[in-house]
Amino acid sequence: MSPADVPTPRPRDPSRERASIGLNSLARVLLVLGLFVMVNYLSARHYVRADMTRKSLYSLSAKTKRVLGGLHSDVQVDVFLSQGDSIYGDVKELFSRYRAQSPRIKVRFIDPDLDRARFELMKSRYGIREGRLPDGRTITDTAIVVSSGERHWFVTQDDMVEVDFSGAEMGGGPELKGFKAEGALTSAIVNVTTADKPKICFTKGHGELSIDDFGERGLSHLAEALKRDNYETQAIETYGRPSVPSGCSAVIVAGPTRPFAEEEAASLRSFVEGGGKLALLLDPIIDGSRFVPTGLEGIAEHFGVKIDQDIVVETDAKRLTTVGGLETFAAMDWATGHALAEPFREAPLLVSIARSVRKAEGGTALVTEIVKTSDSSWGETDLARMQAGDEPAKGADDVEPPASLAAAVEVGESERKGRLVVVGDADFLARALFENPTLVNQDFGLGIVSWLSQRENLISIAPKDVENVHMNLSEDQLFWIRTYSVYCMPLAALFVGVVVWLRRRQ
């Protein structure tokens, strides 16, 4: 082949080379973007959530997963917590787990301070009360409202956390001890998605506290609170009726001032024996210097509870109030292991002119004494001595301390067990005590209804232990931390940047 036949190379076209390199780079970028989108899409559809907390604080229990997996209707959750609230982040993270488990859960966070207009709308809709903390933040009596259709359920902060106040004695503040929000929230979901709406019946005709009375001896505030928790309330007559009216999930006798007839007591006893639920809230009935029976003592004794004819007096100064005598005091010794007492522990229940209620000997039913007084109290049986104003002193016939003020009974062996609660006081439900946030009177009253209607058994999830980790740093340690973070680290980054810039120039 002659040199003339050798093809001459085509001259390089810089513009075509740049275009080719540009297209190649664009294809690579698009490929990487496509892979990025695909990975994100797949990770959004198929992902694994991990709880890295030491106590598995945000891991949902098997019970909660079963409840969420069985939902057939949407559940709306409205959270009324300020972003500065100590549990705001924990609640938000927990609800992200709920939403990931079921698309039926819809959550709205409404900050009472930042989203004022929407909060006012929800406040009027659900009857939420609010107040102000010293730092200016809004605090509400209801932290969360769970609703489905026409039904709703209220969850308070106390329902979600256990707080340890023991540090206050040493000058410290309260510490978060347990996080029980999952149990409270899952119970609320079950309550608004179940079909039943329990009817709570209150007896009348014997001078009882009335749910229709807005006065001093009224229980209209209790009826309002029950309606907020999806109960129905009804006042019923028992005189002249052979049995309790049908449809009553539970019957409450609250503070009668006149005795019940034998026929009425017999119908209430048969009601419990047949699986019914009954609460006897019985103040002492006093006529001159003697106690008058209520006619219901026989029911309680039949099921293993003795109602004493006495008035409990307390001499422990720490439990007395600034108003009232020795008959007005705070009871704080709660039973352990019982659903009706467990939420309160050492919280104060204020009672006034109460009688003792204790487990009788030889009973066959399961009886638990719920709350007791201190060892400095007793049940005074001598009314004449009290009325004479003599120096308080325990007599030989008085009830021994500590005096039990309430008892809970389970009757029968079948699935439909009867339940009975006997409390030696009804005035603990008075409006002033019921609405006092420093007392557990309201929670105990509503807890009685929940236990009777067996709503406490819908979901029982143990609270998560919260590990409070403290780091105590000296002034020197704080100085070096500040020096490294504010000066050394930025200067080191600046030095590396200058070195890289100089090397690139060379």
Side-chain angles (χ1 to χ4, degrees):
M1 181 181 292
S2 64
D5 295 330
V6 176
T8 58
R10 298 176 62 182
R12 298 175 59 184
D13 186 351
S15 62
R16 291 187 63 183
E17 287 187 0
R18 286 194 296 269
S20 177
I21 294 173
L23 289 174
N24 189 29
S25 300
L26 178 62
R28 291 180 179 181
V29 170
L30 292 177
L31 180 59
V32 170
L33 287 176
L35 289 173
F36 181 76
V37 171
M38 183 179 298
V39 169
N40 275 272
Y41 173 78
L42 292 175
S43 63
R45 296 289 298 269
H46 309 280
Y47 57 89
V48 176
R49 302 182 71 94
D51 186 353
M52 304 303 292
T53 58
R54 187 172 181 179
K55 300 289 187 177
S56 299
L57 196 63
Y58 308 117
S59 298
L60 299 182
S61 66
K63 291 181 180 180
T64 295
K65 292 178 180 178
R66 284 199 301 271
V67 170
L68 297 178
L71 291 178
H72 300 293
S73 58
D74 289 346
V75 176
Q76 178 64 50
V77 181
D78 293 306
V79 184
F80 305 104
L81 291 175
S82 297
Q83 293 185 19
D85 198 284
S86 59
I87 64 171
Y88 179 87
D90 295 327
V91 171
K92 190 170 184 178
E93 173 62 27
L94 187 62
F95 272 126
S96 71
R97 307 292 173 124
Y98 275 73
R99 284 184 291 189
Q101 194 69 33
S102 173
R104 292 286 189 181
I105 302 296
K106 316 294 182 183
V107 184
R108 289 183 298 198
F109 282 82
I110 301 174
D111 191 315
D113 296 311
L114 301 180
D115 197 351
R116 194 67 197 174
R118 190 156 55 153
F119 172 70
E120 288 290 344
L121 181 65
M122 305 302 286
K123 174 184 169 183
S124 60
R125 177 180 177 182
Y126 292 118
I128 298 172
R129 294 191 295 270
E130 65 172 313
R132 287 282 177 182
L133 293 173
D135 60 5
R137 286 188 294 117
T138 301
I139 185 172
T140 62
D141 63 339
T142 299
I144 297 173
V145 178
V146 181
S147 59
S148 181
E150 297 299 320
R151 307 189 66 178
H152 52 267
W153 191 266
F154 296 85
V155 179
T156 67
Q157 285 207 34
D158 290 339
D159 294 330
M160 296 189 288
V161 296
E162 291 180 3
V163 181
D164 182 10
F165 293 95
S166 60
E169 299 177 359
M170 306 298 294
E175 286 190 348
L176 186 62
K177 182 180 180 181
F179 190 60
K180 53 183 182 178
E182 183 188 351
L185 297 172
T186 304
S187 291
I189 292 171
V190 172
N191 276 304
V192 300
T193 54
T194 51
D196 66 313
K197 193 172 185 179
K199 179 187 290 186
I200 310 302
C201 299
F202 291 78
T203 62
K204 63 179 182 178
H206 313 83
E208 295 98 328
L209 304 176
S210 172
I211 56 174
D212 299 318
D213 186 355
F214 291 83
E216 189 174 320
R217 282 189 57 81
L219 290 181
S220 59
H221 51 282
L222 174 60
E224 180 184 346
L226 291 174
K227 289 176 182 177
R228 286 179 56 180
D229 284 344
N230 294 311
Y231 291 97
E232 292 182 16
T233 59
Q234 180 182 342
I236 61 169
E237 292 272 7
T238 55
Y239 186 75
R241 289 179 175 268
S243 62
V244 172
S246 61
C248 291
S249 301
V251 175
I252 297 179
V253 181
T257 56
R258 294 188 297 275
F260 277 65
E262 291 184 9
E263 295 79 7
E264 294 175 285
S267 69
L268 291 174
R269 171 178 163 176
S270 299
F271 176 66
V272 177
E273 289 176 334
K277 315 299 186 289
L278 174 66
L280 303 177
L281 315 180
L282 305 178
D283 291 314
I285 302 178
I286 300 173
D287 182 13
S289 60
R290 69 184 184 92
F291 293 102
V292 178
T294 63
L296 302 173
E297 289 82 0
I299 298 178
E301 192 144 6
H302 175 75
F303 295 118
V305 178
K306 181 173 178 54
I307 302 175
D308 293 302
Q309 299 294 342
D310 64 352
I311 293 178
V312 179
V313 295
E314 176 66 76
T315 60
D316 185 349
K318 295 179 181 178
R319 304 189 179 212
L320 298 177
T321 63
T322 55
V323 294
L326 301 180
E327 306 84 18
T328 302
F329 57 89
M332 296 182 287
D333 299 328
W334 298 88
T336 56
H338 194 281
L340 186 51
E342 195 64 29
F344 308 122
R345 304 214 171 156
E346 296 182 359
L349 173 73
L350 193 65
V351 298
S352 181
I353 312 182
R355 61 171 66 183
S356 59
V357 171
R358 52 196 168 111
K359 182 178 181 179
E361 296 181 2
T364 57
L366 179 60
V367 181
T368 304
E369 294 178 345
I370 298 299
V371 61
K372 296 181 180 181
T373 59
S374 74
D375 291 332
S376 302
S377 66
W378 66 88
E380 181 62 62
T381 58
D382 191 344
L383 269 178
R385 183 170 59 190
M386 292 187 67
Q387 293 169 344
D390 295 342
E391 185 72 19
K394 180 182 171 300
D397 297 329
D398 292 337
V399 177
E400 294 291 331
S404 172
L405 298 174
V409 186
E410 290 188 271
V411 180
E413 301 295 335
S414 63
E415 291 185 4
R416 182 173 164 76
K417 291 183 179 180
R419 288 190 170 187
L420 171 67
V421 174
V422 184
V423 184
D425 183 45
D427 295 327
F428 77 93
L429 291 175
R431 183 184 292 272
L433 304 180
F434 192 84
E435 296 178 350
N436 189 328
T438 64
L439 304 173
V440 296
N441 290 43
Q442 178 177 159
D443 294 329
F444 183 54
L446 297 177
I448 290 173
V449 177
S450 296
W451 188 76
L452 289 176
S453 57
Q454 295 183 292
R455 281 192 165 186
E456 92 291 350
N457 286 333
L458 287 174
I459 288 296
S460 179
I461 299 173
K464 306 289 181 65
D465 292 331
V466 177
E467 187 176 19
N468 293 301
V469 180
H470 301 276
M471 179 180 292
N472 298 316
L473 299 176
S474 65
E475 288 294 332
D476 289 340
Q477 291 171 325
L478 288 173
F479 170 77
W480 285 112
I481 290 175
R482 189 184 306 112
T483 301
Y484 278 118
S485 59
V486 176
Y487 301 110
C488 295
M489 293 178 66
L491 288 174
L494 179 62
F495 175 76
V496 171
V498 171
V499 170
V500 171
W501 178 71
L502 291 174
R503 292 190 64 181
R504 285 185 175 179
R505 288 198 62 184
Q506 294 174 358

